[in-house]
Amino acid sequence: DLPDFMGMSPLATSEVYFHNLIIEDAKVGVEINFFNSYDNAFDGVLFRNVGVGIYSRAGINYIRNCRFENSSTCDMVFGDYAAFSSVHRTVSVGSGGFVNAANNGVNVPPFGPLFGGASVRLEDCHVSEWSGYTAVDVDGLLQVSNHLFSTKHSFSINGTA
């Protein structure tokens, strides 16, 4: 076990590449906690029956060509130290939500009050059959292009859908 540092693991990582994996039946598929964990790349990863697929309180994340099936809470949660994340060509089916980058209690001053949520870019993704109120809940900057949502409210920006 690693010692706790402000609720975060002290292990900082950089340039980690998750490729061609199946992650299933877990509370959290991949958890990134330390604020100096930059450039986490996910390519071709299948997340199935997890609580949260990617839970990143910190760093910069690149999610490409991934698939999320039945994430009970949300496919991806990005905290305020997650400076910028981009999601491309990714599919989500039957999850609680697709992306949560809202002011979600993982604020660590001074960045939490300054940014108010992580910034996210979504491109060429398909999201369907989510069970939560919105598929995407973002308080920071949000850029969306060529995206397909197929049920319910798609977005919540600053608490409005």
Side-chain angles (χ1 to χ4, degrees):
D1 283 341
L2 297 171
D4 193 45
F5 175 73
M6 294 174 41
M8 300 181 282
S9 166
L11 180 62
T13 59
S14 181
E15 300 172 2
V16 178
Y17 183 53
F18 301 88
H19 178 67
N20 199 26
L21 300 171
I22 298 174
I23 299 172
E24 60 186 338
D25 301 320
K27 183 177 176 183
V28 177
V30 175
E31 185 171 0
I32 301 161
N33 282 324
F34 203 61
F35 64 88
N36 204 25
S37 299
Y38 293 111
D39 299 322
N40 303 291
F42 298 83
D43 188 9
V45 179
L46 169 62
F47 296 88
R48 183 184 298 142
N49 300 322
V50 297
V52 174
I54 299 169
Y55 179 56
S56 177
R57 290 201 276 181
I60 300 168
N61 303 283
Y62 310 99
I63 295 92
R64 309 280 188 275
N65 309 310
C66 292
R67 183 175 178 92
F68 296 86
E69 297 175 357
N70 305 314
S71 300
S72 61
T73 302
C74 191
D75 296 328
M76 294 165 276
V77 176
F78 303 119
D80 288 332
Y81 265 154
F84 181 81
S85 295
S86 63
V87 184
H88 296 260
R89 298 173 306 279
T90 293
V91 174
S92 172
V93 178
S95 295
F98 186 52
V99 172
N100 181 325
N103 191 338
N104 51 25
V106 293
N107 294 324
V108 180
F111 297 106
L114 178 63
F115 296 137
S119 298
V120 180
R121 176 188 169 115
L122 305 174
E123 185 175 335
D124 291 328
C125 297
H126 179 204
V127 182
S128 66
E129 304 172 29
W130 64 92
S131 60
Y133 182 68
T134 60
V136 177
D137 189 1
V138 174
D139 285 345
L141 302 173
L142 174 65
Q143 182 181 28
V144 179
S145 62
N146 301 324
H147 217 69
L148 174 62
F149 294 94
S150 52
T151 55
K152 296 188 182 186
H153 296 94
S154 298
F155 297 96
S156 174
I157 299 172
N158 295 324
T160 60

